[in-house]
PDB file of all heavy atoms in Angstrom:
ATOM      1  N   GLU A  28      -1.667   2.811  -0.470  1.00 98.00           N
ATOM      2  CA  GLU A  28      -1.863   1.398  -0.147  1.00 98.00           C
ATOM      3  C   GLU A  28      -1.603   0.581  -1.412  1.00 98.00           C
ATOM      4  O   GLU A  28      -2.251   0.777  -2.447  1.00 98.00           O
ATOM      5  CB  GLU A  28      -3.265   1.092   0.399  1.00 98.00           C
ATOM      6  CG  GLU A  28      -3.333  -0.378   0.821  1.00 98.00           C
ATOM      7  CD  GLU A  28      -4.650  -0.823   1.455  1.00 98.00           C
ATOM      8  OE1 GLU A  28      -5.608  -0.029   1.528  1.00 98.00           O
ATOM      9  OE2 GLU A  28      -4.704  -2.003   1.863  1.00 98.00           O
ATOM     10  N   ILE A  29      -0.676  -0.353  -1.314  1.00 97.00           N
ATOM     11  CA  ILE A  29      -0.324  -1.204  -2.450  1.00 97.00           C
ATOM     12  C   ILE A  29      -1.184  -2.459  -2.391  1.00 97.00           C
ATOM     13  O   ILE A  29      -1.121  -3.215  -1.424  1.00 97.00           O
ATOM     14  CB  ILE A  29       1.172  -1.566  -2.395  1.00 97.00           C
ATOM     15  CG1 ILE A  29       2.013  -0.290  -2.452  1.00 97.00           C
ATOM     16  CG2 ILE A  29       1.531  -2.531  -3.529  1.00 97.00           C
ATOM     17  CD1 ILE A  29       3.503  -0.525  -2.225  1.00 97.00           C
ATOM     18  N   GLY A  30      -2.027  -2.649  -3.401  1.00 95.00           N
ATOM     19  CA  GLY A  30      -2.909  -3.815  -3.421  1.00 95.00           C
ATOM     20  C   GLY A  30      -3.992  -3.752  -2.360  1.00 95.00           C
ATOM     21  O   GLY A  30      -4.059  -4.623  -1.496  1.00 95.00           O
ATOM     22  N   PRO A  31      -4.870  -2.742  -2.420  1.00 98.00           N
ATOM     23  CA  PRO A  31      -5.925  -2.638  -1.402  1.00 98.00           C
ATOM     24  C   PRO A  31      -6.981  -3.740  -1.490  1.00 98.00           C
ATOM     25  O   PRO A  31      -7.757  -3.925  -0.554  1.00 98.00           O
ATOM     26  CB  PRO A  31      -6.560  -1.269  -1.681  1.00 98.00           C
ATOM     27  CG  PRO A  31      -6.257  -0.990  -3.117  1.00 98.00           C
ATOM     28  CD  PRO A  31      -4.934  -1.643  -3.393  1.00 98.00           C
ATOM     29  N   GLY A  32      -7.018  -4.479  -2.590  1.00 96.00           N
ATOM     30  CA  GLY A  32      -7.976  -5.583  -2.714  1.00 96.00           C
ATOM     31  C   GLY A  32      -9.402  -5.057  -2.640  1.00 96.00           C
ATOM     32  O   GLY A  32      -9.789  -4.167  -3.395  1.00 96.00           O
ATOM     33  N   LYS A  33     -10.196  -5.607  -1.731  1.00 97.00           N
ATOM     34  CA  LYS A  33     -11.596  -5.175  -1.631  1.00 97.00           C
ATOM     35  C   LYS A  33     -11.712  -3.800  -0.976  1.00 97.00           C
ATOM     36  O   LYS A  33     -12.769  -3.175  -1.002  1.00 97.00           O
ATOM     37  CB  LYS A  33     -12.395  -6.196  -0.833  1.00 97.00           C
ATOM     38  CG  LYS A  33     -12.553  -7.511  -1.559  1.00 97.00           C
ATOM     39  CD  LYS A  33     -13.410  -8.441  -0.729  1.00 97.00           C
ATOM     40  CE  LYS A  33     -13.461  -9.818  -1.350  1.00 97.00           C
ATOM     41  NZ  LYS A  33     -13.977 -10.811  -0.392  1.00 97.00           N
ATOM     42  N   VAL A  52      -3.332   1.503  -5.097  1.00 97.00           N
ATOM     43  CA  VAL A  52      -2.822   1.036  -6.391  1.00 97.00           C
ATOM     44  C   VAL A  52      -3.137  -0.450  -6.486  1.00 97.00           C
ATOM     45  O   VAL A  52      -2.588  -1.258  -5.738  1.00 97.00           O
ATOM     46  CB  VAL A  52      -1.298   1.254  -6.501  1.00 97.00           C
ATOM     47  CG1 VAL A  52      -0.806   0.780  -7.870  1.00 97.00           C
ATOM     48  CG2 VAL A  52      -0.940   2.707  -6.268  1.00 97.00           C
ATOM     49  N   GLU A  53      -4.044  -0.786  -7.388  1.00 96.00           N
ATOM     50  CA  GLU A  53      -4.550  -2.165  -7.445  1.00 96.00           C
ATOM     51  C   GLU A  53      -4.402  -2.714  -8.858  1.00 96.00           C
ATOM     52  O   GLU A  53      -4.916  -2.153  -9.810  1.00 96.00           O
ATOM     53  CB  GLU A  53      -6.023  -2.171  -6.990  1.00 96.00           C
ATOM     54  CG  GLU A  53      -6.727  -3.491  -7.082  1.00 96.00           C
ATOM     55  CD  GLU A  53      -5.969  -4.658  -6.436  1.00 96.00           C
ATOM     56  OE1 GLU A  53      -5.748  -4.627  -5.219  1.00 96.00           O
ATOM     57  OE2 GLU A  53      -5.596  -5.588  -7.174  1.00 96.00           O
ATOM     58  N   ILE A  54      -3.708  -3.848  -8.958  1.00 93.00           N
ATOM     59  CA  ILE A  54      -3.414  -4.416 -10.283  1.00 93.00           C
ATOM     60  C   ILE A  54      -4.605  -5.175 -10.875  1.00 93.00           C
ATOM     61  O   ILE A  54      -4.692  -5.378 -12.081  1.00 93.00           O
ATOM     62  CB  ILE A  54      -2.171  -5.332 -10.209  1.00 93.00           C
ATOM     63  CG1 ILE A  54      -1.506  -5.479 -11.567  1.00 93.00           C
ATOM     64  CG2 ILE A  54      -2.511  -6.690  -9.624  1.00 93.00           C
ATOM     65  CD1 ILE A  54      -0.128  -6.124 -11.501  1.00 93.00           C
ATOM     66  N   SER A  55      -5.543  -5.578 -10.019  1.00 93.00           N
ATOM     67  CA  SER A  55      -6.726  -6.282 -10.522  1.00 93.00           C
ATOM     68  C   SER A  55      -7.774  -5.250 -10.952  1.00 93.00           C
ATOM     69  O   SER A  55      -8.244  -4.448 -10.141  1.00 93.00           O
ATOM     70  CB  SER A  55      -7.303  -7.199  -9.435  1.00 93.00           C
ATOM     71  OG  SER A  55      -8.691  -7.369  -9.628  1.00 93.00           O
ATOM     72  N   ARG A  58     -11.134  -5.482  -9.062  1.00 97.00           N
ATOM     73  CA  ARG A  58     -11.079  -4.950  -7.696  1.00 97.00           C
ATOM     74  C   ARG A  58     -10.932  -3.431  -7.686  1.00 97.00           C
ATOM     75  O   ARG A  58     -11.520  -2.745  -6.866  1.00 97.00           O
ATOM     76  CB  ARG A  58      -9.919  -5.583  -6.939  1.00 97.00           C
ATOM     77  CG  ARG A  58     -10.178  -7.027  -6.622  1.00 97.00           C
ATOM     78  CD  ARG A  58      -9.044  -7.630  -5.858  1.00 97.00           C
ATOM     79  NE  ARG A  58      -9.418  -8.945  -5.395  1.00 97.00           N
ATOM     80  CZ  ARG A  58      -8.677  -9.689  -4.596  1.00 97.00           C
ATOM     81  NH1 ARG A  58      -7.521  -9.247  -4.160  1.00 97.00           N
ATOM     82  NH2 ARG A  58      -9.088 -10.864  -4.213  1.00 97.00           N
ATOM     83  N   ALA A  79      -3.423  -0.191 -11.666  1.00 94.00           N
ATOM     84  CA  ALA A  79      -2.044  -0.164 -12.167  1.00 94.00           C
ATOM     85  C   ALA A  79      -1.191  -1.150 -11.395  1.00 94.00           C
ATOM     86  O   ALA A  79      -1.569  -1.627 -10.325  1.00 94.00           O
ATOM     87  CB  ALA A  79      -1.467   1.242 -12.015  1.00 94.00           C
ATOM     88  N   ASP A  80      -0.014  -1.388 -11.952  1.00 91.00           N
ATOM     89  CA  ASP A  80       1.003  -2.200 -11.288  1.00 91.00           C
ATOM     90  C   ASP A  80       1.917  -1.243 -10.515  1.00 91.00           C
ATOM     91  O   ASP A  80       2.505  -0.337 -11.111  1.00 91.00           O
ATOM     92  CB  ASP A  80       1.788  -2.944 -12.377  1.00 91.00           C
ATOM     93  CG  ASP A  80       2.927  -3.783 -11.814  1.00 91.00           C
ATOM     94  OD1 ASP A  80       3.256  -3.643 -10.622  1.00 91.00           O
ATOM     95  OD2 ASP A  80       3.488  -4.569 -12.594  1.00 91.00           O
ATOM     96  N   ILE A  81       2.047  -1.445  -9.225  1.00 94.00           N
ATOM     97  CA  ILE A  81       2.857  -0.526  -8.419  1.00 94.00           C
ATOM     98  C   ILE A  81       4.290  -0.467  -8.936  1.00 94.00           C
ATOM     99  O   ILE A  81       4.933   0.588  -8.887  1.00 94.00           O
ATOM    100  CB  ILE A  81       2.814  -0.896  -6.909  1.00 94.00           C
ATOM    101  CG1 ILE A  81       3.547   0.159  -6.057  1.00 94.00           C
ATOM    102  CG2 ILE A  81       3.385  -2.270  -6.655  1.00 94.00           C
ATOM    103  CD1 ILE A  81       2.953   1.513  -6.034  1.00 94.00           C
ATOM    104  N   GLY A  82       4.791  -1.588  -9.452  1.00 90.00           N
ATOM    105  CA  GLY A  82       6.170  -1.605  -9.959  1.00 90.00           C
ATOM    106  C   GLY A  82       6.354  -0.579 -11.067  1.00 90.00           C
ATOM    107  O   GLY A  82       7.388   0.089 -11.158  1.00 90.00           O
ATOM    108  N   TYR A 100       0.054  -4.660   2.762  1.00 96.00           N
ATOM    109  CA  TYR A 100      -0.547  -5.699   3.604  1.00 96.00           C
ATOM    110  C   TYR A 100      -0.928  -6.920   2.777  1.00 96.00           C
ATOM    111  O   TYR A 100      -1.717  -6.818   1.830  1.00 96.00           O
ATOM    112  CB  TYR A 100      -1.789  -5.144   4.306  1.00 96.00           C
ATOM    113  CG  TYR A 100      -1.469  -3.893   5.102  1.00 96.00           C
ATOM    114  CD1 TYR A 100      -2.267  -2.765   5.015  1.00 96.00           C
ATOM    115  CD2 TYR A 100      -0.344  -3.839   5.937  1.00 96.00           C
ATOM    116  CE1 TYR A 100      -1.968  -1.619   5.726  1.00 96.00           C
ATOM    117  CE2 TYR A 100      -0.028  -2.700   6.651  1.00 96.00           C
ATOM    118  CZ  TYR A 100      -0.847  -1.598   6.538  1.00 96.00           C
ATOM    119  OH  TYR A 100      -0.533  -0.457   7.239  1.00 96.00           O
ATOM    120  N   PHE A 101      -0.347  -8.048   3.134  1.00 93.00           N
ATOM    121  CA  PHE A 101      -0.621  -9.317   2.455  1.00 93.00           C
ATOM    122  C   PHE A 101      -0.531  -9.087   0.950  1.00 93.00           C
ATOM    123  O   PHE A 101      -1.456  -9.367   0.204  1.00 93.00           O
ATOM    124  CB  PHE A 101      -2.011  -9.844   2.881  1.00 93.00           C
ATOM    125  CG  PHE A 101      -2.162  -9.811   4.369  1.00 93.00           C
ATOM    126  CD1 PHE A 101      -2.757  -8.732   5.006  1.00 93.00           C
ATOM    127  CD2 PHE A 101      -1.635 -10.832   5.140  1.00 93.00           C
ATOM    128  CE1 PHE A 101      -2.831  -8.670   6.389  1.00 93.00           C
ATOM    129  CE2 PHE A 101      -1.702 -10.774   6.519  1.00 93.00           C
ATOM    130  CZ  PHE A 101      -2.306  -9.699   7.141  1.00 93.00           C
ATOM    131  N   PRO A 102       0.621  -8.539   0.529  1.00 84.00           N
ATOM    132  CA  PRO A 102       0.684  -7.956  -0.808  1.00 84.00           C
ATOM    133  C   PRO A 102       0.698  -8.955  -1.951  1.00 84.00           C
ATOM    134  O   PRO A 102       0.170  -8.664  -3.014  1.00 84.00           O
ATOM    135  CB  PRO A 102       2.001  -7.170  -0.789  1.00 84.00           C
ATOM    136  CG  PRO A 102       2.833  -7.826   0.255  1.00 84.00           C
ATOM    137  CD  PRO A 102       1.870  -8.357   1.277  1.00 84.00           C
ATOM    138  N   ASP A 103       1.331 -10.089  -1.769  1.00 69.00           N
ATOM    139  CA  ASP A 103       1.583 -10.942  -2.913  1.00 69.00           C
ATOM    140  C   ASP A 103       0.807 -12.233  -2.850  1.00 69.00           C
ATOM    141  O   ASP A 103       1.084 -13.086  -2.020  1.00 69.00           O
ATOM    142  CB  ASP A 103       3.076 -11.286  -2.965  1.00 69.00           C
ATOM    143  CG  ASP A 103       3.754 -10.609  -4.122  1.00 69.00           C
ATOM    144  OD1 ASP A 103       3.191 -10.654  -5.226  1.00 69.00           O
ATOM    145  OD2 ASP A 103       4.827 -10.037  -3.905  1.00 69.00           O
ATOM    146  N   PRO A 104      -0.153 -12.403  -3.740  1.00 59.00           N
ATOM    147  CA  PRO A 104      -0.809 -13.703  -3.774  1.00 59.00           C
ATOM    148  C   PRO A 104       0.118 -14.762  -4.371  1.00 59.00           C
ATOM    149  O   PRO A 104      -0.189 -15.934  -4.344  1.00 59.00           O
ATOM    150  CB  PRO A 104      -2.029 -13.462  -4.656  1.00 59.00           C
ATOM    151  CG  PRO A 104      -1.707 -12.269  -5.477  1.00 59.00           C
ATOM    152  CD  PRO A 104      -0.665 -11.482  -4.754  1.00 59.00           C
ATOM    153  N   TRP A 105       1.267 -14.316  -4.920  1.00 59.00           N
ATOM    154  CA  TRP A 105       2.123 -15.222  -5.693  1.00 59.00           C
ATOM    155  C   TRP A 105       3.391 -15.559  -4.931  1.00 59.00           C
ATOM    156  O   TRP A 105       4.493 -15.268  -5.375  1.00 59.00           O
ATOM    157  CB  TRP A 105       2.479 -14.569  -7.026  1.00 59.00           C
ATOM    158  CG  TRP A 105       1.248 -14.195  -7.768  1.00 59.00           C
ATOM    159  CD1 TRP A 105       0.260 -15.033  -8.193  1.00 59.00           C
ATOM    160  CD2 TRP A 105       0.851 -12.891  -8.167  1.00 59.00           C
ATOM    161  NE1 TRP A 105      -0.720 -14.335  -8.830  1.00 59.00           N
ATOM    162  CE2 TRP A 105      -0.386 -13.011  -8.833  1.00 59.00           C
ATOM    163  CE3 TRP A 105       1.412 -11.618  -8.033  1.00 59.00           C
ATOM    164  CZ2 TRP A 105      -1.061 -11.922  -9.355  1.00 59.00           C
ATOM    165  CZ3 TRP A 105       0.745 -10.541  -8.551  1.00 59.00           C
ATOM    166  CH2 TRP A 105      -0.476 -10.707  -9.209  1.00 59.00           C
ATOM    167  N   LEU A 115       6.198  -8.893  -6.232  1.00 71.00           N
ATOM    168  CA  LEU A 115       6.569  -7.501  -6.041  1.00 71.00           C
ATOM    169  C   LEU A 115       8.036  -7.359  -5.691  1.00 71.00           C
ATOM    170  O   LEU A 115       8.672  -6.366  -5.998  1.00 71.00           O
ATOM    171  CB  LEU A 115       5.774  -6.937  -4.857  1.00 71.00           C
ATOM    172  CG  LEU A 115       4.351  -6.513  -5.099  1.00 71.00           C
ATOM    173  CD1 LEU A 115       3.737  -6.080  -3.788  1.00 71.00           C
ATOM    174  CD2 LEU A 115       4.311  -5.370  -6.089  1.00 71.00           C
ATOM    175  N   THR A 176      -7.413  -4.859   7.449  1.00 97.00           N
ATOM    176  CA  THR A 176      -7.654  -5.130   6.029  1.00 97.00           C
ATOM    177  C   THR A 176      -8.590  -6.351   5.939  1.00 97.00           C
ATOM    178  O   THR A 176      -8.798  -7.067   6.932  1.00 97.00           O
ATOM    179  CB  THR A 176      -6.344  -5.439   5.266  1.00 97.00           C
ATOM    180  OG1 THR A 176      -5.911  -6.755   5.594  1.00 97.00           O
ATOM    181  CG2 THR A 176      -5.250  -4.440   5.590  1.00 97.00           C
ATOM    182  N   ASP A 177      -9.095  -6.612   4.747  1.00 97.00           N
ATOM    183  CA  ASP A 177      -9.988  -7.770   4.575  1.00 97.00           C
ATOM    184  C   ASP A 177      -9.253  -9.072   4.901  1.00 97.00           C
ATOM    185  O   ASP A 177      -9.776  -9.934   5.612  1.00 97.00           O
ATOM    186  CB  ASP A 177     -10.535  -7.805   3.141  1.00 97.00           C
ATOM    187  CG  ASP A 177     -11.433  -6.613   2.848  1.00 97.00           C
ATOM    188  OD1 ASP A 177     -12.595  -6.624   3.278  1.00 97.00           O
ATOM    189  OD2 ASP A 177     -10.966  -5.656   2.198  1.00 97.00           O
ATOM    190  N   CYS A 178      -8.038  -9.210   4.376  1.00 96.00           N
ATOM    191  CA  CYS A 178      -7.274 -10.446   4.637  1.00 96.00           C
ATOM    192  C   CYS A 178      -6.946 -10.571   6.123  1.00 96.00           C
ATOM    193  O   CYS A 178      -7.039 -11.662   6.690  1.00 96.00           O
ATOM    194  CB  CYS A 178      -5.959 -10.437   3.863  1.00 96.00           C
ATOM    195  SG  CYS A 178      -6.169 -10.789   2.137  1.00 96.00           S
ATOM    196  N   GLU A 179      -6.566  -9.473   6.708  1.00 96.00           N
ATOM    197  CA  GLU A 179      -6.189  -9.497   8.128  1.00 96.00           C
ATOM    198  C   GLU A 179      -7.344  -9.992   8.997  1.00 96.00           C
ATOM    199  O   GLU A 179      -7.167 -10.833   9.874  1.00 96.00           O
ATOM    200  CB  GLU A 179      -5.796  -8.072   8.518  1.00 96.00           C
ATOM    201  CG  GLU A 179      -5.072  -7.950   9.822  1.00 96.00           C
ATOM    202  CD  GLU A 179      -4.591  -6.521  10.016  1.00 96.00           C
ATOM    203  OE1 GLU A 179      -5.072  -5.594   9.326  1.00 96.00           O
ATOM    204  OE2 GLU A 179      -3.751  -6.337  10.901  1.00 96.00           O
ATOM    205  N   TYR A 182      -7.799 -13.778   8.294  1.00 95.00           N
ATOM    206  CA  TYR A 182      -6.733 -14.609   8.867  1.00 95.00           C
ATOM    207  C   TYR A 182      -6.792 -14.619  10.395  1.00 95.00           C
ATOM    208  O   TYR A 182      -6.519 -15.628  11.036  1.00 95.00           O
ATOM    209  CB  TYR A 182      -5.358 -14.132   8.402  1.00 95.00           C
ATOM    210  CG  TYR A 182      -5.116 -14.278   6.916  1.00 95.00           C
ATOM    211  CD1 TYR A 182      -4.295 -13.387   6.242  1.00 95.00           C
ATOM    212  CD2 TYR A 182      -5.711 -15.307   6.186  1.00 95.00           C
ATOM    213  CE1 TYR A 182      -4.069 -13.516   4.876  1.00 95.00           C
ATOM    214  CE2 TYR A 182      -5.495 -15.438   4.827  1.00 95.00           C
ATOM    215  CZ  TYR A 182      -4.677 -14.538   4.175  1.00 95.00           C
ATOM    216  OH  TYR A 182      -4.469 -14.655   2.828  1.00 95.00           O
TER     217      TYR A 182
HETATM  218  C1  LIG B   1      -3.784 -10.995  -1.001  1.00 89.12           C
HETATM  219  S1  LIG B   1      -4.528  -9.545  -1.612  1.00 89.12           S
HETATM  220  C2  LIG B   1      -4.524  -8.482  -0.170  1.00 89.12           C
HETATM  221  C3  LIG B   1      -5.530  -7.367  -0.274  1.00 89.12           C
HETATM  222  C4  LIG B   1      -5.501  -6.384   0.920  1.00 89.12           C
HETATM  223  N1  LIG B   1      -4.239  -5.736   1.050  1.00 89.12           N
HETATM  224  C5  LIG B   1      -5.865  -7.076   2.200  1.00 89.12           C
HETATM  225  O1  LIG B   1      -5.001  -7.186   3.078  1.00 89.12           O
HETATM  226  O2  LIG B   1      -7.018  -7.501   2.326  1.00 89.12           O
HETATM  227  C6  LIG B   1      -3.201  -8.834  -2.585  1.00 89.12           C
HETATM  228  C7  LIG B   1      -3.690  -7.688  -3.462  1.00 89.12           C
HETATM  229  O3  LIG B   1      -2.554  -7.059  -4.058  1.00 89.12           O
HETATM  230  C8  LIG B   1      -2.849  -6.802  -5.425  1.00 89.12           C
HETATM  231  N2  LIG B   1      -1.553  -6.730  -6.120  1.00 89.12           N
HETATM  232  C9  LIG B   1      -0.667  -7.745  -6.318  1.00 89.12           C
HETATM  233  N3  LIG B   1       0.403  -7.309  -7.002  1.00 89.12           N
HETATM  234  C10 LIG B   1       0.195  -5.982  -7.244  1.00 89.12           C
HETATM  235  C11 LIG B   1       0.943  -4.980  -7.951  1.00 89.12           C
HETATM  236  N4  LIG B   1       2.110  -5.281  -8.546  1.00 89.12           N
HETATM  237  N5  LIG B   1       0.446  -3.721  -7.996  1.00 89.12           N
HETATM  238  C12 LIG B   1      -0.752  -3.440  -7.404  1.00 89.12           C
HETATM  239  N6  LIG B   1      -1.514  -4.348  -6.761  1.00 89.12           N
HETATM  240  C13 LIG B   1      -1.045  -5.602  -6.672  1.00 89.12           C
HETATM  241  C14 LIG B   1      -3.722  -8.005  -5.820  1.00 89.12           C
HETATM  242  O4  LIG B   1      -4.485  -7.768  -6.987  1.00 89.12           O
HETATM  243  C15 LIG B   1      -4.594  -8.149  -4.581  1.00 89.12           C
HETATM  244  O5  LIG B   1      -5.746  -7.343  -4.637  1.00 89.12           O
END
Side-chain angles (χ1 to χ4, degrees):
E28 185 177 4
I29 300 173
K33 292 183 186 165
V52 181
E53 176 50 63
I54 203 168
S55 152
R58 289 181 171 186
D80 177 349
I81 186 65
Y100 304 133
F101 311 94
D103 250 314
W105 304 300
L115 280 176
T176 75
D177 295 282
C178 284
E179 194 173 17
Y182 295 149

